[in-house]
Amino acid sequence: MFKNLSVNRRRFLYISLSGLAGATAIIVGKDKLIMSHSQAVDNRNRDFRVAGLAPLKKRAAAKGLIYGAASMQDFLLSDKNLETNFVRECGILVPENELKWDALRPSPDKFDFAKSDWLAQFAQRNGMLFRGHTLVWHQQLPQWFKEVVNPQNAEKFLVEHITTVTKRYAGQIRAWDVVNEAIEPNDELPGGWRRSPWLEHLGPNYIELAYQVAAGVDSKAMLVYNENDLEYDIPHQEAKRTLVLKLLERLKSKGTPIHALGIQSHLRGGETRFNANKFRKFLNDVASLGLKILVTELDVGDRNLPADLARRDRIVAACYEDYLSTVLDERAVIEVLTWGLTDKYTWYSQFLPRSDGKPVRPLLLDSNLKRKLAWNAIAKAFDRAPKR
Ligand code: G3I
């Protein structure tokens, strides 16, 4: 492995037992390879070491950032090990599913807050912030929705839902993803809107209405527009960034009470088309509107990566660090949430499994809740981020 070490250059070999990551990384030489922004390159010598054992929430807070993750009541109730690690690492909790329509609305005239209340109390008793996802989305609408909601009553249902839910958590919730994923150029609708029952029944003004209602009930919550597929230098995502920016400019120009853009950040391990300069420009354009920016659902899909665990974990970790080092350069970015904490509970298992059937490894703790290189990568990105 060291046959090509040049003798005329000072090199030293040291072994960093990144035991926390459950891996031993051998780092050679002071002139570590400077990673290009390719996320597919697997650099065996990449240095993921971090100083100390401090949890991510502490490292984030040291820079004026908040780190946390999504989880579900089922997981936190049944898995003591998850609870322990979640409380240690996270400064904020977002319910993965319990604040969506299909979880809250068993019938047109009923709300069921049992699970979301439990999560709000879990956050509170563990000194965590709490964020809401999501008040208006085209997915996870309850079975009755299609039969009951129509152009005549859609506004009533939208206003009643947002009013009831935001009132219940006013004072407990830091932020709401008020509208989620409203833009989809591939749907080929004028304005690049995503096809959704809300757009169908109410037209694009459903978006502004949602923010006005939420702000009217909870004037303290940070109201967020949350979107996916904004990260890569590919035509579809470039188009989405342009359309999202236009939407945000329009909302701001009309005085709509919107405070932040949520960039979901479901990254693709092995995807090389990430242009840091272009993405920085987009972040800056959003910040110039006076908006904060949140990384709301960060994870790294590994379905297209090699089966070998060490290689897969290195590429996933590099993806986390490369992305976060770009994003955290923008001081308007104030929060980073991963969509889950451990490979044991990730949406990828159900929605984007690997073709070889091997368990997916998109997150920062493995399925035994041990820290992986991805944990090191996120810790390193926080440690190196500029202070807010
Ligand atoms: O709770 C029921 C359970 O009672 C039933 O037995 C089971 C049968 O499959 O389904 C369970 O509900 C599932 C729910 O997750 C809770 O596990 C739904 O079927 C399933 O569709 C739902 O998936 C969620 C998905 O959003 C829905 O679109 C994922 O967990 C969740 O991680 C994912 O999160 C989304 C964000 O909200 C928006 N951004 C993208 C992100 C990933 O898709």
Side-chain angles (χ1 to χ4, degrees), residues 80-134:
K80 207 74 197 118
N81 197 5
L82 171 68
E83 178 188 354
T84 308
N85 281 276
F86 203 95
V87 171
R88 187 188 64 232
E89 298 289 348
C90 297
I92 189 167
L93 161 66
V94 57
E96 187 167 350
N97 290 297
E98 291 84 346
L99 279 170
K100 295 172 179 174
W101 273 68
D102 65 346
L104 292 177
R105 306 296 301 272
S107 64
D109 54 359
K110 270 214 201 71
F111 288 80
D112 177 359
F113 290 108
K115 290 185 173 237
S116 48
D117 283 355
W118 187 91
L119 287 162
Q121 287 143 25
F122 175 89
Q124 214 224 344
R125 70 172 174 272
N126 288 295
M128 276 176 218
L129 297 167
F130 188 53
R131 82 180 310 269
H133 172 81
T134 176

Side-chain angles (χ1 to χ4, degrees), residues 239-251:
K240 278 196 83 163
R241 287 193 290 272
T242 305
L243 288 162
V244 164
L245 213 46
K246 249 169 83 182
L247 168 63
L248 296 174
E249 282 163 352
R250 197 167 40 252
L251 291 172

Side-chain angles (χ1 to χ4, degrees), residues 176-196:
W176 275 106
D177 290 339
V178 176
V179 173
N180 188 45
E181 302 174 10
I183 302 272
E184 181 41 83
N186 288 347
D187 283 359
E188 296 176 344
L189 293 176
W193 302 117
R194 178 189 293 277
R195 205 172 293 285
S196 103

